[in-house]
Each structure stands twice: as structure tokens, then as C-alpha cells.
Amino acid sequence: MDQMVERANAGKFLDPNQTADGSMRARVPLSNPRTLWFNTGTLCNIACVNCYIESSPINDRLAFMTTTEVTDYLGQIEDRGWPVREIGFTGGEPFMNPEIIAILRASLRRGYDVLVLTNAMRPMMRKHIQNGLLELIREYGDKLTLRVSLDHWQAARHDEIRGQGSFDITFKGMKWLRDHGFKMAVAGRALWLENETEVRTGYGEFFALHNIKINSQDPAMTVIFPEMDEMAEVPEITTSCWGILGKSSNDIMCASARMVVKRKGAGSPVVLACTLLPYKPAFEMGASLADAEGDVALNHAQCARFCVMGGASCSG
């Protein structure tokens, strides 16, 4: 995937300080750290078309995070005085991590809102996971949100991305969450040339039909991710772009978030600038949150395509 990006944008994104034409590259300071993400491991029960992290049943490039490792970073948040409100968990499929319930409990116990990105399929529906989730909701209620990957409200289109029959399995998981009172959100994809009004109306009608309490008009509860076309040429973002685009560096995801990953074979986790670039060494900031407090150079096509031009964020 990275090779396709490089071919489509040859000559760009080479220097963290300057763009190809010699302009000063835009940088983003960590102005309001409100979300800390953990990648719980890249293994997933399915392999989706154009998965940004290439998760699959065989991709273990990012290892399972442990409860001890997560707890250490939660302590660092307090030590650094970061005003974090939300702890997010992504993958792979987080419910494949054998310690996921203990990890969620450790985060909730410290008072954070916890967001889990899941496909709501078989890993989540195993009995011991269900029992663990039910205990968590009894103790912490709406402090826990499950954001379900539902690429489209129509089964055929969702299955184009995730495989034949995957919609029905995910919908079964959503009904279980609904029936047990879990707070849910949905993540969809802007892949089918529908405008935002059509997309939010479609999801809204689907939620109403099935008595699913998700607000389709709330961008934090129904998140529509722009499609990341790896072959598309994108502009480099310079310091002058903020005024031209009417945006601020504070609007960009790396102004408010960092992600912790553990690479296969590594002795300890590291902190990355971005959830979208888990394999790029240039976006690795160090082993601690203190190391991760520096500015981030917008030196990748995804910075422009997804965050600046697309206006997207993985957080609520």
C-alpha cells in the first residue's frame, strides 16, 4: 500500500521540513491531547478490501498489547498532566486480544471514556467476551462505547468490503449490543459516491427500522470515513495552506491524539503520531508519552488526504 502511495506522489513527502517546491511544510503541535489510542494487535478475523492497516487473520506485525503495558501508559497520562478524556482501542480486531476485557477494565477504572472499534463479529460474540462486556456495562454504563464497523447500511455493499455474509454476522452482534443496553456508534465509508445527506439518511432509516439508538446526524456517533485512494495524487500541506483552506492545525487529529503500538518481536511498545501510519518509522516518536509531545510534520499523503483535505478523525 505504501508503495502505491509513493508512486502516485513521486517526489513528494521526502523532507519533513520542506515540500517538493521548497515551501515550509506544515507542522502540528500537540495542543490538546484528549485521546490516547492503543492498537491491540493487527490480527483480525477477516481481511477487508483496502484496510488501511492491512489487518487479517495472518498479519501479526503489531503484537497483542498487554494489560500491564496499557496501565503503564495510563499512569504516564497522569504523570504528564495530559487532559485526556478518552482511551481508544483499535486493531486488527480488539476482541481477538486475550487480555481485552482486563485492558478495558483498567481504563474504565481510572475514569476515562473508553471507545472500542470492532466489527462485532465472532471474536466479540464469544461467551467469555460477552460475559466480560456485560460486567463492564453493569459497572461503568455509558463510559464504554462500541463503535461498530458497518461500511454501509445495505448488506450487499458492506459485503463488497468485508466478504459475503459479513453484514448479517455484524448485525447479529449489533442486535446483541442493542438488547443489552450498550452504547453504540457506527463507522461507515464514503465509497459509493453518495453525498453526506444521503449517507446519513440511509443510516438513520436503518437505525430507526431496527430500534438502534445511534444518532445518524452526529458525526461522532455515525463516523463517515473518506476513502483513502492510494493511487490519487494529493497536495503537500504547507504553512500557508491553513489560511487558504480555512483550517487550523488544532483541527488535525495529531493535535489531540497519539497511538501506542507494540511491534512484533519488540521488547516494549512505542508511541506514534497517528493511528493511520502504524508502519512508518518516521512517525514513531519514542517509547514514552514524554517523547511524543513534539510537533508532527505532515509528511505523508494520508496527512493531506484523510485529515486535512478529508477532515476526518478517528476520535469522537
Side-chain angles (χ1 to χ4, degrees):
M1 188 175 291
D2 283 335
Q3 290 177 343
M4 288 191 291
V5 172
E6 290 165 4
R7 287 198 298 270
N9 294 278
K12 299 180 180 180
F13 307 108
L14 300 177
D15 186 328
N17 298 311
Q18 291 187 332
T19 62
D21 67 1
S23 300
M24 185 177 294
R25 187 177 302 284
R27 303 182 72 88
V28 176
L30 184 67
S31 58
N32 181 27
R34 64 175 182 267
T35 303
L36 183 63
W37 286 94
F38 291 90
N39 187 298
T40 60
T42 40
L43 285 173
C44 187
N45 55 302
I46 57 175
C48 300
V49 175
N50 202 26
C51 174
Y52 81 94
I53 201 171
E54 300 172 358
S55 297
S56 77
I58 60 172
N59 180 6
D60 60 353
R61 291 171 67 184
L62 299 184
F64 286 140
M65 197 75 64
T66 69
T67 310
T68 298
E69 289 163 344
V70 170
T71 301
D72 176 70
Y73 282 97
L74 298 179
Q76 290 185 48
I77 292 173
E78 297 169 4
D79 293 342
R80 303 302 301 172
W82 284 18
V84 167
R85 301 191 300 269
E86 176 185 62
I87 307 297
F89 296 95
T90 184
E93 169 52 49
F95 288 109
M96 292 187 72
N97 185 309
E99 297 188 33
I100 187 61
I101 296 298
I103 286 171
L104 299 181
R105 183 182 299 281
S107 304
L108 289 161
R109 184 182 293 130
R110 289 180 180 245
Y112 294 110
D113 293 328
V114 171
L115 175 64
V116 186
L117 279 52
T118 178
N119 58 36
M121 297 177 79
R122 291 189 179 96
M124 190 194 79
M125 294 293 281
R126 291 173 293 169
K127 185 56 66 175
H128 74 282
I129 295 294
Q130 288 181 325
N131 290 340
L133 286 172
L134 290 171
E135 290 178 5
L136 292 179
I137 192 177
R138 281 195 292 268
E139 294 178 50
Y140 300 102
D142 283 355
K143 296 291 285 183
L144 174 65
T145 300
L146 285 293
R147 183 195 289 168
V148 179
S149 296
L150 193 72
D151 292 322
H152 200 275
W153 62 91
Q154 295 177 356
R157 288 189 166 176
H158 176 90
D159 287 359
E160 286 177 29
I161 306 301
R162 296 180 182 259
Q164 187 66 34
S166 62
F167 181 94
D168 291 341
I169 299 171
T170 289
F171 185 42
K172 180 179 179 181
M174 291 181 71
K175 288 189 289 186
W176 183 83
L177 292 170
R178 175 201 65 191
D179 293 345
H180 289 87
F182 284 87
K183 184 179 179 181
M184 266 192 293
V186 152
R189 290 168 71 166
L191 183 60
W192 292 275
L193 301 180
E194 298 150 330
N195 63 45
E196 184 167 349
T197 298
E198 292 171 326
V199 171
R200 296 197 179 279
T201 298
Y203 277 110
E205 292 174 350
F206 175 80
F207 298 152
L209 177 64
H210 298 289
N211 194 28
I212 294 172
K213 293 179 172 57
I214 301 176
N215 183 351
S216 67
Q217 302 303 313
D218 183 347
M221 301 309 293
T222 302
V223 185
I224 310 300
F225 286 122
E227 195 59 22
M228 294 184 285
D229 183 355
E230 305 299 336
M231 296 306 294
E233 184 177 359
V234 294
E236 295 184 282
I237 306 301
T238 69
T239 53
S240 63
C241 287
W242 300 128
I244 295 169
L245 297 172
K247 294 192 175 186
S248 164
S249 63
N250 292 332
D251 301 329
I252 310 305
M253 184 164 54
C254 52
S256 61
R258 293 290 185 263
M259 183 170 81
V260 182
V261 306
K262 186 176 182 181
R263 305 196 187 284
K264 182 179 180 179
S268 60
V270 292
V271 187
L272 306 181
C274 180
T275 61
L276 299 174
L277 302 171
Y279 306 128
K280 301 297 288 184
F283 289 85
E284 185 174 307
M285 305 188 78
S288 71
L289 296 188
D291 297 327
E293 291 179 341
D295 294 355
V296 177
L298 298 183
N299 194 31
H300 194 278
Q302 303 292 39
C303 304
R305 177 187 297 114
F306 188 84
C307 295
V308 179
M309 308 298 289
S313 172
C314 294
S315 301

